[in-house]
Amino acid sequence: MVWNSEETSSRSEMQGMQLAKWQKTVAYVYDKNPFYKQKLDAMGVKPGDIKSLDDVKRLPFTVKDDLRDNYPFNLFSADQEDVVEYHATSGTTGKPIVVGYTRKDIETWTEVMARCLTSAGVQKNDVLQNIYGYGLFTGGLGAHYGGVRVGASVIPISGGNTQKQIMLMQDFGSTALTVTPSFLMHIHEVGVGMGVDFKKLKLKTAVLGAEFWTEEMRGKIQENFGIKACDIYGLSEIIGPGVACECHEARNGLHINEDFFYPEIINPDTGEVLPIGAEGELVLSNIANEGQPLLRYRTRDITSLSLEPCACGRTLVKMQKLTGRTDDLLIIRGVNFFPSQVESIVIKHKDVTPNYLVVVERQGNLDEVEVKIEVIEQYVTKPVGDTFIESTRLSVSDELATREIVKSLTRDIKDVIGITVKVTLVPPGTIPRSEGKAKRFIDNRPK
Ligand code: DLL
């Protein structure tokens, strides 16, 4: 089932819609936004120059620093009185990135989220437990608007409150979940400790995103909960969640709502546009937005596009599951790797939990990588004579068995990533859990 007919347009119909929206958007930002007017003038491009989709290449890129430099509102094209909602990214350093939505943008967001949820199999008769955080983060309200639009019964519980999440799943008979994959794994961990069998609940579907997760993690989640798990992608700068989502039929790539969010793949080093199928940095333009339309925004997310026909009947271009972010790419002793690649290794290993943390330090002139991984309870030594034991005071036993685990993880990481890292086993529960996006990587190198 598709939510609306644009999702099955022919290629030429889609390109026609895209071109019309491009022309309107370029004229709009040129007229309304001094930043873009100046950029276009500097490049000698006038709105009337966009005569075909090929001309898009002539437009300037927008990067994260442009948003930071224009904090908070200078990249808005809409008048302040037409903005009806603000969101912002958490921003680990410095000022956050702010986005503003007009009434029409909220309508677009609601519509693309209704498409995404429908594509993931969520329908009118579903009870949708929305665990994405409500607030400045776009996850909560985005999924909320879409859930209400499809007619599901939305539970706006937001993130956190692990035990209450489990209670509502049981008592309200939730059938669909919108949540980050890492927090869903945490809910499972806590639930199992409470004796809950999630497979016996009414859960059917989970729409998971906002952070990197692997196919291996999908397998584990589907098995743990007895559900289908679909990947949903988006970013605040472009709309929030709703840029792209998998269909529950194929679950092998995310259909991009390309009549609203125009995708390109570029070589991140040269900016050259790459042909369909090639892997590179995803560039998105929100060609129907009013609040803050961004021309050719460099997402830093790495993926590739595909126009292969899909079992679900949608003709929307698909992006493959993300492989990483350009700014998380580590180059250690000449080898490129993304810290998130560790997930596929730890998840297959029966003696450890899927919780890991990659820490990079500079020692002398060399970068050293340590991967901390939680072992399962059985390898933990408890302090003698203690009745109340906090998990942080437990230590991992130094027996042959644990040394063998370290050896085999080190070998598997070397096979997949190509470098030798220091593997440290830590007691279960000691790597901080997140109620939203998980932090899997710490870079302690001097800036
Ligand atoms: O994370 C929007 C969102 C909310 C998407 C809920 C899906 C579900 P930001 O906080 O601005 O927005 O973070 C955007 O998160 O550039 C990616 O690097 C990462 N990301 C988002 N979805 C996925 C995904 C929301 N499915 C940044 N897989 C993006 C991998 C993802 N990474």
Side-chain angles (χ1 to χ4, degrees):
M1 195 175 107
V2 298
W3 180 252
N4 55 34
S5 58
E6 282 84 354
E7 295 173 80
T8 53
S9 311
S10 69
R11 205 42 17 213
S12 64
E13 283 166 347
M14 176 56 70
Q15 289 173 339
M17 283 189 274
Q18 289 173 328
L19 181 60
K21 288 184 184 175
W22 260 118
Q23 290 169 332
K24 208 169 149 191
T25 297
V26 175
Y28 174 69
V29 297
Y30 189 82
D31 181 40
K32 302 276 288 185
N33 188 281
F35 170 85
Y36 277 124
K37 179 168 188 322
Q38 199 187 13
K39 267 205 152 186
L40 290 171
D41 283 344
M43 294 178 87
V45 185
K46 291 272 173 277
D49 293 343
I50 308 301
K51 298 203 165 65
S52 76
L53 289 178
D54 218 34
D55 294 324
V56 168
K57 293 199 189 90
R58 299 179 55 191
L59 296 167
F61 289 118
T62 309
V63 295
K64 213 175 226 161
D65 278 344
D66 293 329
L67 285 150
R68 292 216 173 95
D69 296 345
N70 287 287
Y71 174 86
F73 303 142
N74 284 347
L75 271 191
F76 286 16
S77 291
D79 299 330
Q80 187 274 327
E81 61 179 24
D82 292 325
V83 171
V84 298
E85 190 166 318
Y86 292 116
H87 283 275
T89 62
S90 46
T92 41
T93 49
K95 298 279 192 194
I97 278 168
V98 181
V99 281
Y101 301 68
T102 64
R103 237 178 241 295
K104 180 170 164 255
D105 296 339
I106 297 289
E107 175 56 28
T108 302
W109 196 14
T110 305
E111 204 51 24
V112 292
M113 276 307 297
R115 282 189 191 180
C116 289
L117 293 173
T118 304
S119 152
V122 179
Q123 294 178 353
K124 195 174 163 0
N125 57 1
D126 275 302
V127 177
L128 174 65
Q129 187 161 335
N130 184 19
I131 308 176
Y132 287 125
Y134 283 65
L136 287 176
F137 175 56
T138 51
L141 276 165
H144 186 101
Y145 291 143
V148 170
R149 178 65 53 92
V150 298
S153 316
V154 180
I155 310 172
I157 182 163
S158 193
N161 276 314
T162 312
Q163 300 202 354
K164 195 165 176 186
Q165 300 281 1
I166 297 168
M167 186 182 90
L168 293 195
M169 280 178 203
Q170 294 169 318
D171 298 349
F172 287 24
S174 305
T175 56
L177 304 175
T178 39
V179 57
T180 56
S182 58
F183 189 50
L184 187 55
M185 285 298 279
H186 177 61
I187 291 176
H188 184 261
E189 194 180 12
V190 172
V192 168
M194 291 161 58
V196 176
D197 181 354
F198 287 94
K199 288 193 198 141
K200 296 216 170 105
L201 304 186
K202 291 193 176 149
L203 296 169
K204 247 178 26 194
T205 312
V207 195
L208 308 177
E211 64 184 4
F212 179 88
W213 59 302
T214 54
E215 278 305 327
E216 287 80 6
M217 177 72 97
R218 189 207 303 270
K220 192 131 206 150
I221 287 174
Q222 295 191 147
E223 186 189 311
N224 284 347
F225 289 88
I227 55 172
K228 280 185 183 177
C230 291
D231 194 1
I232 183 165
Y233 168 81
L235 61 166
S236 318
E237 297 92 312
I238 294 298
I239 195 89
V243 171
C245 189
E246 284 181 327
C247 53
H248 67 96
E249 293 92 338
R251 276 170 290 157
N252 67 353
L254 300 84
H255 291 284
I256 302 180
N257 287 309
E258 54 174 319
D259 46 336
F260 293 99
F261 316 114
Y262 184 86
E264 298 168 89
I265 299 288
I266 63 164
N267 174 331
D269 299 324
T270 63
E272 176 205 358
V273 177
L274 300 177
I276 198 128
E279 190 175 82
E281 180 180 347
L282 178 67
V283 170
L284 289 168
S285 305
N286 43 10
I287 49 175
N289 279 34
E290 283 180 344
Q292 186 168 239
L294 299 180
L295 306 185
R296 308 189 77 203
Y297 182 66
R298 293 188 57 163
T299 65
R300 304 185 187 185
D301 293 322
I302 306 287
T303 184
S304 60
L305 301 179
S306 157
L307 277 170
E308 291 294 308
C310 185
C312 71
R314 286 177 185 77
T315 52
L316 298 171
V317 67
K318 269 186 185 176
M319 59 182 258
Q320 294 317 303
K321 223 173 183 339
L322 293 191
T323 45
R325 281 180 61 79
T326 54
D327 40 5
D328 284 350
L329 179 71
L330 288 174
I331 306 177
I332 304 291
R333 299 188 282 279
V335 176
N336 293 4
F337 88 96
F338 293 108
S340 45
Q341 281 175 285
V342 171
E343 181 177 290
S344 63
I345 300 158
V346 294
I347 215 156
K348 279 192 229 146
H349 212 290
K350 66 174 182 21
D351 298 308
V352 298
T353 79
N355 299 296
Y356 68 93
L357 185 65
V358 177
V359 186
V360 190
E361 311 268 357
R362 173 129 334 134
Q363 282 169 9
N365 291 323
L366 285 182
D367 290 338
E368 296 294 339
V369 182
E370 181 185 15
V371 183
K372 296 184 178 180
I373 307 171
E374 286 182 3
V375 270
I376 55 172
E377 199 74 39
Q378 147 189 4
Y379 299 104
V380 161
T381 319
K382 301 181 189 308
V384 184
D386 249 348
T387 43
F388 179 75
I389 305 159
E390 293 166 38
S391 59
T392 46
R393 293 176 52 210
L394 303 174
S395 58
V396 174
S397 69
D398 181 31
E399 295 187 356
L400 191 60
T402 46
R403 276 181 264 141
E404 284 303 318
I405 299 171
V406 170
K407 249 199 229 162
S408 102
L409 283 163
T410 311
R411 193 182 49 232
D412 292 350
I413 293 175
K414 166 114 201 211
D415 284 350
V416 172
I417 293 171
I419 57 163
T420 304
V421 300
K422 177 176 180 227
V423 169
T424 308
L425 298 180
V426 296
T430 52
I431 291 180
R433 304 295 192 263
S434 148
E435 296 177 352
K437 295 178 193 251
K439 187 159 180 54
R440 307 277 196 206
F441 169 46
I442 296 179
D443 191 347
N444 286 332
R445 291 173 296 181
K447 293 283 169 300

